[in-house]
Amino acid sequence: MNLHSCTIRLNDDSTLICKTVEQSLGVIEYHGQANITDICINATDGVGVNSYNLPFEESIESLMNL
């Protein structure tokens, strides 16, 4: 699986769309768990794109595994 995009929604309803794992992790680190409402990881298997909405810690772990 490869990252297609990572959508991060902040508490102020801002939405950030990241295209790389490094960018995603940087945004998450910068804003911190207290300021993030939701993380949606869109990963591709080469055929289709699957979306994952996981708890905060699992999202970070999943991103690091991509």
Side-chain angles (χ1 to χ4, degrees), residues 7-27:
T7 303
I8 301 168
R9 190 162 48 104
L10 304 177
N11 290 346
D12 66 0
D13 289 326
S14 299
T15 300
L16 306 169
I17 300 173
C18 303
K19 292 293 188 179
T20 67
V21 171
E22 294 79 13
Q23 183 184 31
S24 302
L25 292 172
V27 167

Side-chain angles (χ1 to χ4, degrees), residues 5-6 8-9 12 16-17 24 27 33 36 39-40 42 46 49 51 54 56-57 62-63:
S5 66
C6 179
I8 301 168
R9 190 162 48 104
D12 66 0
L16 306 169
I17 300 173
S24 302
V27 167
Q33 185 173 3
I36 295 174
I39 300 172
C40 179
N42 297 307
V49 177
S51 296
L54 303 169
F56 187 83
E57 293 296 328
S62 293
L63 281 166

